[in-house]
Amino acid sequence: MDHFTRSTIIQSEARIRRQRLLPRGGDIVVAIGQEVSPLQVLARSPLSMLFRIVFAAKNLNVPVEEFNNYLAVKEGDKVEAGTVLAQKKRLLGQQTLESPIDGEVTQIYNGRIILKQTADFIELRAMVQGRIVNYIDDRGVTLEVIGTQIQAMWSTGTVALSPMKIMGDTPNKIFSSSDITGNISNHILVIGQLDSVEPIQAAITEGVKGFIIGTMPAHLVDACRALDTTILLTDGFGEHGMAETIFTKLQELSGQETTIFSRDGLNNRQRAEIIIPKSGTPSLTDPPYNKPIQVGQAVRILRQPYLGNIGVIEHIYNQFHSTPSGVRVRGADVRLQNGQKVFIPTSNLDAII
């Protein structure tokens, strides 16, 4: 009998697909197959629109029914201020009618030319180095990135891009205001454990761009969501700190440019995740999503008394198995990193892929 659990990607070399979307339709300005840098604009959408009506036939003093004979533009044309919209030959030279604005010809009717002026734009930036693999209608693109991918269990904020800095030497160190030393401005901080929002507030005032945290108490959720920053929890709520596997992987990449995407941002269909691009060929091209767990599978335990522990499955029970409390459930024997073997219900396992 197959056993299915939730899963989390923790990979050093992965082929990552990440969607980047505008809040509404706009213009995509990159090509499929194009390599893009993190701050490159992918698409833009007008924040507001203004329309200008040009009474062209009247200004040229020509009959409305003959006006199309004098046009120099057509509907859909992009124009700049000074672009000739229409012109009429005269005895001495010619009379021209120029566009008063930068914009687009949206409609021509009854001797009038209607111009759409785009005022300000919302610009969608890549926020991670990658390659454009497809368009998502007129909303955005899918980026392909090669690098480290670590999916998070909770998040707030949108997206942050900065070099990563490790705070502390252990994955369960509690972050405090006294730890804020040295140059942390314009960095993403990696923190083992948080028990108060005050150190985060202090770090934000020092110019920190985002936070990767192992665990924190659930009662801090509202306070963290009220902050103008991006926060990811790699191991959820509690006091067990960051999984050593994740902490060690981030330590190895300390100082590298890192992107953190929150699920609370525009595209909440994708999991919150950490992406650290690198060059090279990925070892994992098709992550084993939605596949049953197997012997040898690395897993993380999601419930006490072994909450946050990572181990390897040694045996999977195909029949119901009794727990110490007498409840009969399906589960597996897991060998923890300290060598202890424990029985864990499959509903309490998170497959590490």
Side-chain angles (χ1 to χ4, degrees), residues 144-221:
E144 182 180 79
V145 185
I146 305 301
T148 294
Q149 179 184 23
I150 300 173
Q151 292 181 328
M153 300 185 81
W154 180 86
S155 65
T156 186
T158 53
V159 57
L161 166 70
S162 279
M164 180 176 56
K165 187 178 183 67
I166 310 295
M167 306 298 288
D169 298 325
T170 62
N172 57 1
K173 183 184 185 307
I174 297 174
F175 182 57
S176 68
S177 298
S178 63
D179 296 320
I180 301 175
T181 59
N183 179 25
I184 62 171
S185 178
N186 294 313
H187 280 76
I188 291 172
L189 301 188
V190 176
I191 297 163
Q193 191 178 164
L194 186 71
D195 67 355
S196 168
V197 77
E198 282 76 17
I200 298 295
Q201 293 172 319
I204 292 172
T205 62
E206 294 293 325
V208 171
K209 298 301 183 183
F211 302 85
I212 301 169
I213 303 172
T215 58
M216 72 178 189
H219 68 79
L220 296 182
V221 165

Side-chain angles (χ1 to χ4, degrees), residues 24 54 60 87 110 144 183 203 208-209 246 250 265 273 283:
R24 57 177 176 269
V54 179
L60 288 179
Q87 57 188 5
N110 201 27
E144 182 180 79
N183 179 25
V208 171
K209 298 301 183 183
I246 297 175
L250 294 178
E273 62 186 354
S283 59

Side-chain angles (χ1 to χ4, degrees), residues 317-330:
Y317 292 88
N318 291 322
Q319 304 296 327
F320 286 99
H321 186 79
S322 294
T323 66
S325 62
V327 178
R328 293 180 59 78
V329 295
R330 291 189 175 91

Side-chain angles (χ1 to χ4, degrees), residues 33-291:
Q34 182 177 341
E35 299 284 341
V36 295
S37 61
L39 296 181
Q40 188 164 341
V41 175
L42 307 177
R44 56 173 61 96
S45 178
L47 192 60
S48 61
M49 292 184 185
L50 301 174
F51 290 88
R52 183 76 65 90
I53 300 176
V54 179
F55 295 91
K58 181 179 178 180
N59 289 336
L60 288 179
N61 194 25
V62 298
V64 170
E65 58 271 16
E66 298 178 10
F67 171 65
N68 287 351
N69 297 326
Y70 302 94
L71 280 171
V73 294
K74 61 183 182 300
E75 291 182 0
D77 282 357
K78 306 288 186 183
V79 296
E80 298 177 352
T83 298
V84 174
L85 302 177
Q87 57 188 5
K88 181 182 72 170
K89 290 184 179 179
R90 298 190 303 184
L91 184 61
L92 297 175
Q94 59 184 7
Q95 180 183 357
T96 61
L97 183 66
E98 298 179 349
S99 173
I101 60 170
D102 296 341
E104 178 183 333
V105 179
T106 60
Q107 192 173 14
I108 301 172
Y109 82 103
N110 201 27
R112 300 177 175 90
I113 300 175
I114 299 180
L115 302 174
K116 178 177 68 176
Q117 177 184 20
T118 51
D120 296 314
F121 284 90
I122 299 170
E123 291 188 329
L124 176 71
R125 298 182 184 273
M127 297 305 288
V128 66
Q129 179 181 327
R131 182 175 67 90
I132 308 298
V133 294
N134 71 292
Y135 298 146
I136 306 170
D137 299 324
D138 61 349
R139 291 280 309 282
V141 303
T142 300
L143 278 169
E144 182 180 79
V145 185
I146 305 301
T148 294
Q149 179 184 23
I150 300 173
Q151 292 181 328
M153 300 185 81
W154 180 86
S155 65
T156 186
T158 53
V159 57
L161 166 70
S162 279
M164 180 176 56
K165 187 178 183 67
I166 310 295
M167 306 298 288
D169 298 325
T170 62
N172 57 1
K173 183 184 185 307
I174 297 174
F175 182 57
S176 68
S177 298
S178 63
D179 296 320
I180 301 175
T181 59
N183 179 25
I184 62 171
S185 178
N186 294 313
H187 280 76
I188 291 172
L189 301 188
V190 176
I191 297 163
Q193 191 178 164
L194 186 71
D195 67 355
S196 168
V197 77
E198 282 76 17
I200 298 295
Q201 293 172 319
I204 292 172
T205 62
E206 294 293 325
V208 171
K209 298 301 183 183
F211 302 85
I212 301 169
I213 303 172
T215 58
M216 72 178 189
H219 68 79
L220 296 182
V221 165
D222 289 343
C224 285
R225 281 184 170 151
L227 298 173
D228 184 21
T229 193
T230 299
I231 299 173
L232 269 61
L233 297 185
T234 60
D235 292 76
F237 301 107
E239 300 176 356
H240 49 286
M242 185 178 292
E244 188 169 348
T245 299
I246 297 175
F247 187 76
T248 300
K249 198 173 293 292
L250 294 178
Q251 273 187 318
E252 294 169 354
L253 299 170
S254 180
Q256 294 195 28
E257 190 170 77
T258 300
T259 304
I260 53 177
F261 290 100
S262 169
R263 198 181 181 196
D264 283 8
L266 183 63
N267 189 359
N268 60 15
R269 292 175 297 175
Q270 295 191 118
R271 277 184 68 174
E273 62 186 354
I274 305 159
I275 297 179
I276 307 171
K278 64 176 292 186
S279 59
T281 302
S283 59
L284 179 65
T285 56
D286 294 307
Y289 296 113
N290 302 320
K291 293 186 178 180

Side-chain angles (χ1 to χ4, degrees), residues 28 32 54 107 199 212 243 326 337 339 341 353:
I28 298 173
I32 292 176
V54 179
Q107 192 173 14
I212 301 169
Q337 292 176 323
K341 184 169 75 172
I353 60 176

